[in-house]
Amino acid sequence: MDIRKLQNKVIEFRDKRDWAQYHNPKDLAISISLEASELLEIFQWKDARQVEALKADLVSRQRVKEELGDVLIYALTLAREFDFDPTDIILDKMQINNKKYPVKKVKGKSEQ
Amino acid sequence: MDIRKLQNKVIEFRDKRDWAQYHNPKDLAISISLEASELLEIFQWKDARQVEALKADLVSRQRVKEELGDVLIYALTLAREFDFDPTDIILDKMQINNKKYPVKKVKGKSEQ
Amino acid sequence: MDIRKLQNKVIEFRDKRDWAQYHNPKDLAISISLEASELLEIFQWKDARQVEALKADLVSRQRVKEELGDVLIYALTLAREFDFDPTDIILDKMQINNKKYPVKKVKGKSEQ
Amino acid sequence: MDIRKLQNKVIEFRDKRDWAQYHNPKDLAISISLEASELLEIFQWKDARQVEALKADLVSRQRVKEELGDVLIYALTLAREFDFDPTDIILDKMQINNKKYPVKKVKGKSEQ
């Protein structure tokens, strides 16, 4: 589905509940961070082999999917508060990254 | 743009750099969390009035847009590691939220 | 109590449970971050007046105390993994901050 | 050094700069979370062997020490905002953990 249409659905869901009043950018940024932590918690104390095994575990897969959903939903909501088009957000950042990390220079090396 | 097509572009960018080897789910979840913190840092120590003013500040807008870009890019990458369709991730989570937060029960009240 | 003695108690608790095997620095850093998020969650969606009111709310006070406990316990554990004396950690960072933020320059201004 | 005395030094440093006005509990919790992320960033993309090697790397050791310092300093500041004694915070949480994780039940198993 078009990401703008997904964003519209997220905002419609929000507005039906009259939640825009709570959705100031600071609390939305807090919320993205909290949901990212709930996602990370799934991998806490897991070594490389265990992390790989999670990919085939149905319960873990569902948790990862739901927490990713929360991160994406809050990110699209914050984007709307700033009137950013989500397609622009992603493509423009990829263009910046393309200059920052030219293939010739970074191929096979970690981003850091 | 279709969110699946955006995800494909993100993965293509990654694979050109041979970065899949670093992109295990645990480090991707760490990365989403770190980028969410860089986003949150923009609002640190700001009161409600200052947060609102950031929406009209060009430098802050650009920072918010770039950090949102990083969060979305890593989220789409992690989704691919689990073979989740990003449209499903969002619509399925909205369906769960719809049951958890029925309009009649939560209208006008904070999610918490 | 001396912070070094507190750290010794934390490590003794850990070693009785044979948990050192899980306490690699990366997962300890993840754990500090996750506990910091659980602490932050207490303040999510709260405006300035509500945040102030939490200081007098017994249930919230207990949650804040417990989450601060988790942050401190994991921080002291990670310090031990690097053989840092916790007193040095704090006093040395304050010395760095003292040079970075001289009173004359920053008095009354936010750190940012 | 006694942890209460360290906390007093942290508060004295803060008050000389007139920063109490910014140090509401919500922004202090945000700050602990942001510093925890800067600590975690040191371990991003590192595998188990590389994480272990960081313990002997002087530059990484200094970064870990400074970020741990920031986490501890903000945690002690937030504790003061709630008038918690830091010794009580740690010992009381260890007592809770002692009931939650009895040695017989959890020895050698990860906390999760």
Side-chain angles (χ1 to χ4, degrees):
Chain A
M1 195 180 284
D2 192 286
I3 194 171
R4 188 66 181 253
K5 197 173 163 191
L6 285 166
Q7 189 191 34
N8 287 341
K9 283 177 177 288
V10 166
I11 299 301
E12 193 189 333
F13 180 100
R14 188 263 300 265
D15 289 343
K16 267 191 188 162
R17 281 154 188 82
D18 222 352
W19 280 349
Q21 57 185 315
Y22 302 108
H23 283 185
N24 65 81
K26 187 168 182 170
D27 278 295
L28 286 169
I30 288 173
S31 300
I32 295 171
S33 182
L34 299 186
E35 300 299 342
S37 280
E38 293 187 17
L39 177 62
L40 180 53
E41 194 180 3
I42 302 168
F43 306 103
Q44 190 188 19
W45 310 121
K46 302 278 187 293
D47 65 25
R49 195 184 48 75
Q50 291 168 317
V51 168
E52 201 54 35
L54 286 185
K55 286 187 190 171
D57 176 65
L58 288 185
V59 173
S60 301
R61 287 181 65 80
Q62 182 61 22
R63 279 181 72 193
V64 170
K65 194 180 161 197
E66 291 188 24
E67 301 303 347
L68 269 175
D70 285 328
V71 168
L72 288 168
I73 286 168
Y74 279 127
L76 291 175
T77 306
L78 181 51
R80 177 60 57 91
E81 289 298 307
F82 280 79
D83 284 320
F84 294 137
D85 182 90
T87 299
D88 290 347
I89 291 176
I90 294 171
L91 295 184
D92 291 356
K93 190 55 171 66
M94 283 179 65
Q95 205 165 13
I96 291 169
N97 287 348
N98 197 37
K99 282 179 190 157
K100 203 171 161 188
Y101 305 111
V103 175
K104 283 195 180 172
K105 200 179 152 199
V106 302
K107 195 174 176 180
K109 296 171 200 160
S110 114
E111 280 134 286
Q112 287 297 87
Chain B
M1 193 180 286
D2 192 285
I3 194 171
R4 188 65 181 253
K5 197 173 164 191
L6 285 166
Q7 188 191 33
N8 288 341
K9 284 177 177 288
V10 166
I11 299 301
E12 193 188 333
F13 180 99
R14 188 264 301 265
D15 288 344
K16 267 191 186 162
R17 281 154 188 82
D18 222 352
W19 280 349
Q21 58 185 314
Y22 302 109
H23 282 185
N24 66 81
K26 187 168 181 169
D27 278 295
L28 286 170
I30 288 173
S31 300
I32 295 171
S33 182
L34 299 186
E35 299 299 342
S37 280
E38 292 187 17
L39 177 61
L40 181 52
E41 195 180 2
I42 302 169
F43 306 103
Q44 191 188 18
W45 310 122
K46 301 279 188 292
D47 65 26
R49 196 184 47 76
Q50 290 169 317
V51 168
E52 201 53 35
L54 286 184
K55 287 187 188 170
D57 176 65
L58 288 185
V59 174
S60 301
R61 286 181 65 80
Q62 182 60 24
R63 279 181 73 193
V64 170
K65 194 180 160 195
E66 291 188 23
E67 300 304 347
L68 269 175
D70 285 327
V71 168
L72 288 168
I73 286 168
Y74 279 126
L76 291 175
T77 306
L78 181 51
R80 177 60 57 90
E81 288 298 307
F82 280 80
D83 284 320
F84 294 136
D85 183 90
T87 298
D88 290 348
I89 291 176
I90 294 171
L91 294 185
D92 291 356
K93 190 55 172 64
M94 283 179 65
Q95 205 166 12
I96 291 169
N97 287 347
N98 197 37
K99 281 178 191 159
K100 203 171 161 188
Y101 305 111
V103 175
K104 282 195 181 173
K105 199 178 150 200
V106 303
K107 195 172 176 182
K109 296 172 199 159
S110 115
E111 280 135 284
Q112 286 298 87
Chain C
M1 194 181 285
D2 192 286
I3 195 171
R4 188 65 182 252
K5 197 173 164 191
L6 285 166
Q7 189 191 33
N8 288 341
K9 283 177 179 290
V10 166
I11 298 302
E12 192 189 335
F13 180 99
R14 187 264 300 266
D15 289 344
K16 267 190 187 163
R17 280 153 189 81
D18 222 352
W19 280 349
Q21 58 185 313
Y22 302 108
H23 282 185
N24 65 82
K26 187 169 181 169
D27 279 295
L28 287 169
I30 288 173
S31 300
I32 295 170
S33 183
L34 299 186
E35 300 299 343
S37 280
E38 293 187 18
L39 177 62
L40 180 52
E41 195 180 2
I42 302 168
F43 306 104
Q44 191 188 19
W45 310 122
K46 301 277 188 295
D47 65 24
R49 196 184 46 75
Q50 291 169 317
V51 168
E52 201 54 36
L54 286 184
K55 287 187 189 170
D57 176 66
L58 288 185
V59 174
S60 301
R61 287 180 64 82
Q62 182 60 21
R63 279 182 73 193
V64 169
K65 194 179 161 197
E66 291 188 24
E67 300 304 346
L68 269 175
D70 285 328
V71 168
L72 289 168
I73 286 168
Y74 279 126
L76 291 175
T77 306
L78 181 51
R80 177 61 58 89
E81 289 299 307
F82 280 80
D83 284 321
F84 294 137
D85 183 272
T87 299
D88 290 347
I89 292 176
I90 293 171
L91 295 184
D92 290 357
K93 190 56 171 67
M94 283 179 64
Q95 204 165 15
I96 292 169
N97 288 348
N98 196 38
K99 280 178 190 158
K100 204 171 161 188
Y101 305 111
V103 175
K104 282 194 181 174
K105 201 179 148 201
V106 302
K107 195 171 177 183
K109 296 172 201 160
S110 114
E111 280 134 281
Q112 286 298 86
Chain D
M1 192 182 286
D2 191 286
I3 194 170
R4 187 67 181 252
K5 195 173 165 191
L6 285 165
Q7 188 190 35
N8 288 341
K9 283 177 178 289
V10 166
I11 298 301
E12 192 189 336
F13 179 99
R14 187 263 301 265
D15 288 344
K16 267 190 187 163
R17 282 154 187 82
D18 222 352
W19 280 349
Q21 57 185 314
Y22 302 108
H23 282 186
N24 65 81
K26 187 168 181 170
D27 278 295
L28 286 169
I30 288 173
S31 300
I32 294 171
S33 182
L34 299 186
E35 299 299 342
S37 279
E38 293 187 17
L39 177 62
L40 180 52
E41 194 180 3
I42 302 168
F43 306 103
Q44 190 189 20
W45 311 122
K46 301 279 187 293
D47 66 25
R49 196 185 46 76
Q50 291 169 317
V51 168
E52 202 54 36
L54 286 185
K55 287 188 189 171
D57 176 65
L58 288 186
V59 173
S60 301
R61 287 181 64 81
Q62 182 60 23
R63 278 182 74 194
V64 170
K65 194 179 161 196
E66 291 188 23
E67 300 303 347
L68 268 176
D70 284 329
V71 168
L72 289 169
I73 286 167
Y74 278 127
L76 292 175
T77 306
L78 181 51
R80 177 60 57 90
E81 288 298 306
F82 280 80
D83 284 321
F84 294 137
D85 183 90
T87 298
D88 290 346
I89 291 176
I90 294 171
L91 294 185
D92 291 356
K93 190 55 172 66
M94 283 179 64
Q95 204 165 13
I96 291 170
N97 287 348
N98 197 38
K99 281 178 191 158
K100 203 172 160 188
Y101 305 111
V103 175
K104 281 194 180 172
K105 199 179 150 201
V106 302
K107 196 173 176 183
K109 296 171 200 160
S110 113
E111 280 133 282
Q112 287 298 88

